[in-house]
mmCIF file of all heavy atoms in Angstrom:
data_model
loop_
_atom_site.group_PDB
_atom_site.id
_atom_site.type_symbol
_atom_site.label_atom_id
_atom_site.label_comp_id
_atom_site.label_asym_id
_atom_site.label_seq_id
_atom_site.Cartn_x
_atom_site.Cartn_y
_atom_site.Cartn_z
ATOM 1 N N ARG K 541 128.718 47.639 -224.553
ATOM 2 C CA ARG K 541 127.486 46.919 -224.239
ATOM 3 C C ARG K 541 127.185 45.920 -225.326
ATOM 4 O O ARG K 541 127.566 46.066 -226.480
ATOM 5 C CB ARG K 541 126.338 47.902 -224.058
ATOM 6 C CG ARG K 541 125.589 48.307 -225.314
ATOM 7 C CD ARG K 541 126.430 49.009 -226.344
ATOM 8 N NE ARG K 541 125.682 49.587 -227.416
ATOM 9 C CZ ARG K 541 125.353 48.971 -228.566
ATOM 10 N NH1 ARG K 541 125.712 47.739 -228.784
ATOM 11 N NH2 ARG K 541 124.669 49.591 -229.488
ATOM 12 N N GLY K 543 123.865 44.374 -227.118
ATOM 13 C CA GLY K 543 122.450 44.740 -227.206
ATOM 14 C C GLY K 543 121.637 43.734 -227.998
ATOM 15 O O GLY K 543 121.035 44.090 -229.009
ATOM 16 N N PRO K 544 121.617 42.495 -227.557
ATOM 17 C CA PRO K 544 120.900 41.492 -228.353
ATOM 18 C C PRO K 544 119.381 41.650 -228.302
ATOM 19 O O PRO K 544 118.835 42.154 -227.323
ATOM 20 C CB PRO K 544 121.302 40.178 -227.693
ATOM 21 C CG PRO K 544 121.613 40.545 -226.286
ATOM 22 C CD PRO K 544 122.154 41.943 -226.310
ATOM 23 N N SER K 545 118.734 41.212 -229.354
ATOM 24 C CA SER K 545 117.274 41.108 -229.344
ATOM 25 C C SER K 545 116.943 39.712 -228.828
ATOM 26 O O SER K 545 117.642 38.759 -229.149
ATOM 27 C CB SER K 545 116.734 41.256 -230.767
ATOM 28 O OG SER K 545 117.232 42.442 -231.312
ATOM 29 N N GLU K 577 117.414 44.408 -226.219
ATOM 30 C CA GLU K 577 116.749 45.280 -227.191
ATOM 31 C C GLU K 577 115.459 44.601 -227.661
ATOM 32 O O GLU K 577 115.428 43.896 -228.661
ATOM 33 C CB GLU K 577 117.724 45.586 -228.343
ATOM 34 C CG GLU K 577 119.046 46.119 -227.770
ATOM 35 C CD GLU K 577 119.756 47.128 -228.633
ATOM 36 O OE1 GLU K 577 119.650 47.039 -229.859
ATOM 37 O OE2 GLU K 577 120.444 48.002 -228.056
ATOM 38 N N TYR K 736 114.897 50.863 -233.586
ATOM 39 C CA TYR K 736 116.276 50.589 -233.161
ATOM 40 C C TYR K 736 117.121 51.857 -233.210
ATOM 41 O O TYR K 736 117.872 52.158 -232.270
ATOM 42 C CB TYR K 736 116.916 49.504 -234.050
ATOM 43 C CG TYR K 736 118.424 49.472 -233.882
ATOM 44 C CD1 TYR K 736 119.000 48.887 -232.747
ATOM 45 C CD2 TYR K 736 119.270 50.081 -234.805
ATOM 46 C CE1 TYR K 736 120.367 48.907 -232.551
ATOM 47 C CE2 TYR K 736 120.630 50.106 -234.609
ATOM 48 C CZ TYR K 736 121.191 49.515 -233.482
ATOM 49 O OH TYR K 736 122.542 49.549 -233.291
ATOM 50 N N VAL K 752 130.603 51.536 -229.315
ATOM 51 C CA VAL K 752 129.497 50.709 -229.791
ATOM 52 C C VAL K 752 130.061 49.666 -230.768
ATOM 53 O O VAL K 752 130.409 49.980 -231.897
ATOM 54 C CB VAL K 752 128.444 51.576 -230.507
ATOM 55 C CG1 VAL K 752 127.383 50.701 -231.184
ATOM 56 C CG2 VAL K 752 127.772 52.522 -229.518
ATOM 57 N N VAL K 753 130.187 48.440 -230.256
ATOM 58 C CA VAL K 753 130.642 47.356 -231.133
ATOM 59 C C VAL K 753 129.386 46.700 -231.679
ATOM 60 O O VAL K 753 128.537 46.231 -230.920
ATOM 61 C CB VAL K 753 131.461 46.298 -230.352
ATOM 62 C CG1 VAL K 753 131.961 45.206 -231.287
ATOM 63 C CG2 VAL K 753 132.614 46.946 -229.603
ATOM 64 N N ARG K 754 129.240 46.670 -232.981
ATOM 65 C CA ARG K 754 128.042 46.042 -233.552
ATOM 66 C C ARG K 754 128.360 45.530 -234.947
ATOM 67 O O ARG K 754 129.407 45.843 -235.517
ATOM 68 C CB ARG K 754 126.873 47.023 -233.562
ATOM 69 C CG ARG K 754 127.105 48.229 -234.435
ATOM 70 C CD ARG K 754 125.907 49.187 -234.392
ATOM 71 N NE ARG K 754 126.141 50.316 -235.293
ATOM 72 C CZ ARG K 754 125.338 51.354 -235.404
ATOM 73 N NH1 ARG K 754 124.244 51.413 -234.685
ATOM 74 N NH2 ARG K 754 125.616 52.328 -236.243
ATOM 75 N N GLU K 757 126.223 45.167 -240.590
ATOM 76 C CA GLU K 757 124.932 45.422 -241.231
ATOM 77 C C GLU K 757 124.341 46.754 -240.771
ATOM 78 O O GLU K 757 123.446 47.298 -241.411
ATOM 79 C CB GLU K 757 123.951 44.265 -240.998
ATOM 80 C CG GLU K 757 123.470 44.047 -239.577
ATOM 81 C CD GLU K 757 124.412 43.214 -238.711
ATOM 82 O OE1 GLU K 757 125.609 43.071 -239.064
ATOM 83 O OE2 GLU K 757 123.955 42.712 -237.657
ATOM 84 N N TRP K 758 124.848 47.296 -239.661
ATOM 85 C CA TRP K 758 124.344 48.580 -239.162
ATOM 86 C C TRP K 758 125.060 49.778 -239.777
ATOM 87 O O TRP K 758 124.662 50.917 -239.563
ATOM 88 C CB TRP K 758 124.448 48.653 -237.636
ATOM 89 C CG TRP K 758 123.554 47.658 -236.976
ATOM 90 C CD1 TRP K 758 123.925 46.546 -236.294
ATOM 91 C CD2 TRP K 758 122.121 47.668 -236.983
ATOM 92 N NE1 TRP K 758 122.815 45.863 -235.862
ATOM 93 C CE2 TRP K 758 121.697 46.535 -236.272
ATOM 94 C CE3 TRP K 758 121.155 48.541 -237.507
ATOM 95 C CZ2 TRP K 758 120.356 46.236 -236.072
ATOM 96 C CZ3 TRP K 758 119.824 48.231 -237.308
ATOM 97 C CH2 TRP K 758 119.434 47.092 -236.603
HETATM 98 N N1 LIG F 2239 119.630 44.764 -231.258
HETATM 99 C C1 LIG F 2239 120.620 44.896 -232.269
HETATM 100 C C2 LIG F 2239 120.819 43.539 -232.909
HETATM 101 O O1 LIG F 2239 120.392 42.555 -232.336
HETATM 102 C C3 LIG F 2239 121.940 45.326 -231.632
HETATM 103 C C4 LIG F 2239 122.747 46.201 -232.496
HETATM 104 C C5 LIG F 2239 123.702 47.003 -231.616
HETATM 105 O O2 LIG F 2239 124.520 46.398 -230.932
HETATM 106 O O3 LIG F 2239 123.607 48.223 -231.607
HETATM 107 O O4 LIG F 2239 121.368 43.439 -233.971
#
Side-chain angles (χ1 to χ4, degrees):
R541 87 298 190 270
S545 306
E577 307 213 328
Y736 165 77
V752 172
V753 182
R754 63 181 182 185
E757 67 276 18
W758 294 110

